[in-house]
Amino acid sequence: MQPVGRFAPTPSGRMHLGNVFAGMIAWLSVKSRGGEMILRMEDLDTQRTSDALAQLLREDLTWLGLTWDRETEPQSKRSKVYDRYFERLQELDLLYPCYCTRSQLHSVNAPHLSDGTYVYAGTCRDLTEAQRAAFDRAPSWRVKVPDKLWTVQDLMQGTYRENLLTDCGDFVVRRADGVYVYQLAVTVDDGEAGVTEVVRGNDLLSSAPRQMYLQELFGFSHPAYGHVPMLMSVDGRRLSKRDKDLDLGVLRQKMKPEQLLGILAHACGLTEKPEAVSAKELATVFSWDKIKKEDIYLTLT
Ligand code: GLU
């Protein structure tokens, strides 16, 4: 079967070094096996995203030589599609309205196993119709989760396990303002596009069990997962969007794309020297076993 991968950037800022690294590995994994790459703009949050930034992302990917075979519809245009999947969850009797406020959520619920959010205790699961009617605000909608252990066999992180009931709780699929959340949108979009492998930063590892659960409910097969390590500066700090000098707006002034790819490929263990190299050349030497599993330290001169 031909692999199908994707870039799923959020156009809320310029492409950052961490995005470049995850995008590079996603592209190499697919292209080293002659597969197809999809681009999708994750612009559900219309306040923080813009078409102009989406265009810059396309230009940055093109500059890097990380090409895509087709671009699918941006998430902001797909609420009608998400409605259909939401209705399917309703038909399965798996949804309920939640009226908890943000501060209640953080004070009542225990912290989440791995990502610092909370485990939802099910406060609104069994409200009666009369109790629901007494609230004068629009609810968010949560999907009920089963007491079941989910196992992610991650290409980078090895085995990751989570029981959604005890480690996450029923989770929101549609916000009170009607906007669908990332977990639902990403599952629908990857599933409909026939994505067979999801490669992204390891800050999203704990999202995989939620997405696997929704994939089962929607009748999609599970993709392979590869959650790539975070990039660290040599002084041990995790590089983030806040490091403005590491976004492509700045880096493109300083170096050629092949130099940047060469530094990243060397830092993650793919090549022996940090020499300039094109994405196409890297595809001929790529293999998952070469990529370092631990944090990756980077010096940019
Ligand atoms: N849109 C997310 C981001 O830019 C990535 C989501 C994903 O790859 O599943 O961080």
Side-chain angles (χ1 to χ4, degrees):
M1 191 178 58
Q2 192 202 35
V4 181
R6 52 28 156 222
F7 301 120
T10 301
S12 60
R14 200 68 194 258
M15 214 172 164
H16 176 269
L17 211 52
N19 313 131
V20 175
F21 178 59
M24 176 184 92
I25 302 291
W27 188 90
L28 289 174
S29 174
V30 165
K31 290 296 167 183
S32 60
R33 288 174 293 143
E36 188 190 15
M37 202 63 191
I38 290 171
L39 173 63
R40 173 179 74 238
M41 293 298 163
E42 300 216 317
D43 57 352
L44 284 169
D45 184 348
T46 50
Q47 305 289 314
R48 283 175 53 238
T49 58
S50 73
D51 289 344
L53 285 167
Q55 190 48 31
L56 278 174
L57 279 168
R58 290 185 198 98
E59 284 170 28
D60 286 342
L61 285 167
T62 306
W63 180 80
L64 287 160
L66 302 178
T67 49
W68 57 97
D69 300 290
R70 62 191 163 105
E71 180 166 354
T72 59
E73 214 175 17
Q75 293 185 330
S76 60
K77 302 267 186 311
R78 284 173 57 79
S79 59
K80 291 263 181 313
V81 177
Y82 306 141
D83 282 344
R84 290 206 311 270
Y85 289 87
F86 183 81
E87 282 157 22
R88 200 176 295 183
L89 295 177
Q90 238 158 0
E91 282 157 21
L92 293 168
D93 197 22
L94 286 173
L95 292 182
Y96 62 87
C98 171
Y99 297 89
C100 294
T101 60
R102 195 177 286 259
S103 60
Q104 273 170 332
L105 289 171
H106 286 277
S107 60
V108 172
N109 301 294
H112 184 276
L113 188 68
S114 57
D115 70 3
T117 57
Y118 55 84
V119 179
Y120 184 65
T123 318
C124 292
R125 202 185 233 228
D126 298 314
L127 294 182
T128 62
E129 279 310 318
Q131 284 169 315
R132 286 174 185 162
F135 287 99
D136 59 357
R137 54 178 180 270
S140 60
W141 289 83
R142 288 184 185 268
V143 61
K144 295 179 202 168
V145 298
D147 184 7
K148 169 177 166 179
L149 194 64
W150 296 85
T151 302
V152 184
Q153 293 298 357
D154 196 82
L155 289 159
M156 289 302 295
Q157 310 294 330
T159 305
Y160 173 78
R161 291 203 173 87
E162 198 173 299
N163 182 326
L164 288 177
L165 189 67
T166 51
D167 300 332
C168 171
D170 300 337
F171 60 92
V172 173
V173 289
R174 198 172 82 183
R175 296 189 334 207
D177 61 5
V179 176
Y180 287 98
V181 306
Y182 160 71
Q183 305 294 353
L184 183 133
V186 80
T187 305
V188 170
D189 292 349
D190 285 343
E192 287 200 345
V195 166
T196 62
E197 56 181 68
V198 167
V199 177
R200 56 190 175 193
N202 75 1
D203 52 332
L204 286 169
L205 178 61
S206 66
S207 285
R210 274 170 278 178
Q211 293 169 17
M212 289 170 76
Y213 171 47
L214 292 178
Q215 285 153 11
E216 285 203 2
L217 295 174
F218 296 154
F220 297 126
S221 23
H222 300 313
Y225 284 104
H227 288 88
V228 304
M230 293 290 133
L231 298 180
M232 314 286 285
S233 66
V234 270
D235 57 11
R237 229 166 20 89
R238 180 172 147 184
L239 298 174
S240 75
K241 274 193 178 157
R242 283 188 297 277
D243 298 289
K244 287 282 172 228
D245 50 334
L246 295 180
D247 79 27
L248 277 197
V250 177
L251 291 173
R252 280 178 60 173
Q253 312 289 322
K254 291 193 189 164
M255 56 180 89
K256 294 200 165 23
E258 293 81 9
Q259 283 173 287
L260 181 55
L261 293 178
I263 293 168
L264 289 172
H266 174 67
C268 75
L270 205 49
T271 51
E272 272 161 34
K273 296 199 186 115
E275 282 169 357
V277 60
S278 71
K280 280 202 176 121
E281 286 164 322
L282 280 176
T284 64
V285 297
F286 178 83
S287 106
W288 277 100
D289 335 320
K290 292 185 187 162
I291 312 289
K292 279 195 216 153
K293 305 276 183 284
E294 44 313 327
D295 290 337
I296 292 171
Y297 291 87
L298 208 66
T299 357
L300 276 185
T301 44

